[in-house]
Amino acid sequence: MKKSLLLLPLLLAGTSVMADQPRLAVVSLEQAQRMVAAAVTECNAQGYAVSAAVVDRSGVLTAFARHEQAGPHTVGSAQRKAFTAASLGRPTGELASAIAANAEIDGLRDMHPDILILEGGLPLKAGDEKIGGIGVGGAPGGQLDAACAQAAIDKVLGGA
Amino acid sequence: MKKSLLLLPLLLAGTSVMADQPRLAVVSLEQAQRMVAAAVTECNAQGYAVSAAVVDRSGVLTAFARHEQAGPHTVGSAQRKAFTAASLGRPTGELASAIAANAEIDGLRDMHPDILILEGGLPLKAGDEKIGGIGVGGAPGGQLDAACAQAAIDKVLGGA
Amino acid sequence: MKKSLLLLPLLLAGTSVMADQPRLAVVSLEQAQRMVAAAVTECNAQGYAVSAAVVDRSGVLTAFARHEQAGPHTVGSAQRKAFTAASLGRPTGELASAIAANAEIDGLRDMHPDILILEGGLPLKAGDEKIGGIGVGGAPGGQLDAACAQAAIDKVLGGA
Amino acid sequence: MKKSLLLLPLLLAGTSVMADQPRLAVVSLEQAQRMVAAAVTECNAQGYAVSAAVVDRSGVLTAFARHEQAGPHTVGSAQRKAFTAASLGRPTGELASAIAANAEIDGLRDMHPDILILEGGLPLKAGDEKIGGIGVGGAPGGQLDAACAQAAIDKVLGGA
Amino acid sequence: MKKSLLLLPLLLAGTSVMADQPRLAVVSLEQAQRMVAAAVTECNAQGYAVSAAVVDRSGVLTAFARHEQAGPHTVGSAQRKAFTAASLGRPTGELASAIAANAEIDGLRDMHPDILILEGGLPLKAGDEKIGGIGVGGAPGGQLDAACAQAAIDKVLGGA
Amino acid sequence: MKKSLLLLPLLLAGTSVMADQPRLAVVSLEQAQRMVAAAVTECNAQGYAVSAAVVDRSGVLTAFARHEQAGPHTVGSAQRKAFTAASLGRPTGELASAIAANAEIDGLRDMHPDILILEGGLPLKAGDEKIGGIGVGGAPGGQLDAACAQAAIDKVLGGA
Amino acid sequence: MKKSLLLLPLLLAGTSVMADQPRLAVVSLEQAQRMVAAAVTECNAQGYAVSAAVVDRSGVLTAFARHEQAGPHTVGSAQRKAFTAASLGRPTGELASAIAANAEIDGLRDMHPDILILEGGLPLKAGDEKIGGIGVGGAPGGQLDAACAQAAIDKVLGGA
Amino acid sequence: MKKSLLLLPLLLAGTSVMADQPRLAVVSLEQAQRMVAAAVTECNAQGYAVSAAVVDRSGVLTAFARHEQAGPHTVGSAQRKAFTAASLGRPTGELASAIAANAEIDGLRDMHPDILILEGGLPLKAGDEKIGGIGVGGAPGGQLDAACAQAAIDKVLGGA
């Protein structure tokens, strides 16, 4: 980013300056773009038309790609799986299994409009810190979606 | 469409021109109108007041009809069944059975605001390609809705 | 796509087969991915952190990228500008000027939840046919967003 | 409707019976279907790809049709114009002019999520009683949308 | 209603006139107001603070009352129960039992944003015709809500 | 309320007990019901079919009534006017005038989904304390709505 | 609050004055702030990053705090648990258990958009009167969330 | 945070580990809590009952406080002002002035559901980097809200 951004006419006031704030790790856009491309490619090679999304630690969309043949619902499913994995810090498949085994926690589905408890979302971490999530939707089975997500992580981030 | 559409005053700029793009099959409006009419008529003949909807491959509404006695909820149920069948490429009744047999995929219901996993929606296909969906709602049983949807397909598109 | 997709266990029924349907041109995922990357890169080179989105003719998201420093509102603004340009087939800046000059059409803003009448969205066309849209958000001025969108079109699609 | 509808297994209880209730006039489905078809046809003949919707006195959708080339936003604009004309009992163009002349009533736009104050919606009446509305969206100018709506009324309902 | 309503300044145009339209029975406001008052009073006498709502055949709210001690969620639950009973023409308790016995129809919950499958909503009928619904929420058990709704029907409409 | 409410089976735990909390004045249901009835009656006598709503200090609906001929949008407009007057503690007409005179505060319309800046809502107060609001919608002019709201206040609460 | 608030320029009219209204107990802001801080601190001491919310008797947010490491979904889960406990007057864990044991009341989840039936929400009461609720979300188990909520009540309100 | 968080039963898999990720500065919860408390206190001292919110760089709520007498709309207005200032990196009052002077950018209001272009929101920055926002709502004038927000920044962060 050029420095000139901060000198543009509309930006009239610097309202506060804080130094020495705590800092948190993030996924870079370049990593995110490569991951969604890798996930769509991997699933396509398996014969599935999918969407893939990467969100940051706050669940805000960073990168997204959808195969031309993937249904419009995958725009929602990929993003929500990514949000859920990022926000809870767990694979969405684990959460789905936990709910299936315990009806008292079915309410997990209703915590937030972007939660989707369905296999195919994986958290992204820097060490122990959760820093984002990836979600894939459109394959005929969540385990297939999750495999493409994992393949993307492996390819871009190099192992776990 | 007349060519003059592109010459209207508000349309000032042609911002891009692409040729040789890939092309995907679509349902025509005439087909869609005949299908929703046929579905409502078929159900009415059976004694049921229903709504029927046809959406395109992206889930966007193409045609809709509602019997005067059909409840307002059928505006939603017919469209969502059509969206779901179009986007996933499967009869919604199949999806409902699959979820009933496997609690771990209950999250399919939450993938997108327009998903409705309830019998009465059927995909429309051109060969292997999914190109839209039809949904019927209002009969006292999803299998009755689905039968009217199938009758409409048979009548308008001539067999499976 | 492998043929095996259509043979997966959950896909029990082929409910309809239509041949000789009309076919409409589409943006390919590869084109969309290259365009959003080009738009973000172009704006970054200018000193602006932006989001960019490409949607298909139905307004469904195809590709998206957001600079790490771009605010969360740009997830909405980029997509809505793309939707608006794709659905109306015009640059969103033209629409904004038209409304500013005529209060009676201010309602254009309220036609659909994804409409955004703000410069930075451009339609994508194959000849005269509208086939999608690109939207950019985050630069300190819509004309700057639009320039990055145009640069992406020029780079990927080659000319106007 | 066959009487058998009321004998279906799920319908266990007649919870109340009222006689001699007041009765209100409604648009029939047959009228509604013919009107939306006429409006789309009329606009197509003019060179415009539009959507058309008819709603009942409560604003609930009765019939809808969309030209294959009409943008996805017209699904919303046609229905909302119809809702607005039906609920307020006035042409939406009149309301747009009234707001443009008086900023204090701009809040009319925010009364209900389905309100759209933009030319192209006309009320349907039985004598003095408002019984529904028709809305058209997609032409490059609200007066063009309104003309197609009026043509549909003239053709189907015969007279003013 | 005075005739003068139709002569007010803003009402410039009679856009259509239809005669001999079909007519459907409705609940009067006076009946609706008495029913919601009766339901709240009956539940209060039982020791429960509730909300009560009556909607018309289209599910549009006609009358509503809430006890000062009834929680804010009852604003939603009473209206949604009334909507559901009116739109489907059945007691909501029946629907809840049917779903509990058959997981394949769980999707009934998702047909429309105003559907609530929970005991406490009863349809209002004129002979065989469904003309509206009443819903009660806030008692510690749906059967208690339903009893207050039934008491209101009995008091105002005089038996079943 | 009977004491038995607190002994029902589902109510297992008293989780906290606070005494000597501050107490705030509220509108009673009986007052609210009389006000909405009075407002609808007053407007009907003037020739207008309207809806009227009373909300408490938190903007939660307490009572509502709609004339059979009032459009469905009035369900929203009456409630939102009441919410706005209650939450801001001012007549909505004053707010509409203030915005019309100062474009910089147009954002007031967007503060909350239930805000409606349109004449016809009045605050209810106990001394200086705002304790609720009344809103009327459906008359052909906000000043007419406001007059019916004021008449209801005068009739039920006796003077200003 | 200074008296001058009521003399500000925009506040032109006192539209009504009621005296001797009933009065209801409320949670003070000071209590609410101390409770959310205590809940976050308690959970942090246990090793969990959570959000905590306190709402008033109408379910309106009074105070909120989120640990920097707590996921964005906890903004929703904490508030909705608090809303649910406040509005129904019961611990949300009790409600979750009741639904798990009786599928016919699963509809409780759909009563209102802010309902969340998941352990971690507790009602706040003044004697028998429900006056608000506290909700905690983010710990890996609802019983852990609830323990932090109870600890906050104990610390600030001094026992049950 | 204790290390034990990562050993809880539900957390079965570490799906990825990234090191050396870029890191971004954040507002701490302690700073956020002190800022919202300071803003409410400052406005109360001026005679205004307000809400105050602090959000992080992604617009996710970090801390919130509402005066008991502040209307429910302030829950929305404070959060949305904070979101807007954080996401765009500018005081919301500047944006309101810019729109008032240029109707072509009125669409800024519609970029995202959480945008509110109304004075009273200020960005929080660490050097040149935007790291969050604070919003205040409820005072009878946006400049009064903004003054309380600035006072909170000055008190907690110490200078500009």
Side-chain angles (χ1 to χ4, degrees), chain G residues 97-113:
Chain G
S97 298
I99 294 180
N102 179 6
E104 294 207 12
I105 58 171
D106 198 69
L108 291 170
R109 302 184 192 283
D110 302 324
M111 292 189 295
H112 187 281

Side-chain angles (χ1 to χ4, degrees), chain C residues 92-103:
Chain C
T92 53
E94 275 185 33
L95 296 163
S97 297
I99 294 180
N102 179 6

Side-chain angles (χ1 to χ4, degrees), chain E residues 18-29:
Chain E
M18 292 184 286
D20 302 321
Q21 291 298 121
R23 301 187 84 83
L24 298 175
V26 295
V27 183
S28 73
L29 172 56

Side-chain angles (χ1 to χ4, degrees), chain A residues 111, chain G residues 51-55 59-61 63-64 73-85 114 116 133-137, chain H residues 61 64 75 79:
Chain A
M111 292 188 294
Chain G
S51 287
V54 167
V55 302
V60 181
L61 190 63
F64 176 87
H73 76 281
T74 61
V75 177
S77 63
Q79 292 189 51
R80 290 178 178 187
K81 288 176 182 178
F83 176 93
T84 304
D114 289 327
L116 176 59
I134 181 172
V136 175
Chain H
L61 189 64
F64 176 87
V75 177
Q79 293 188 51

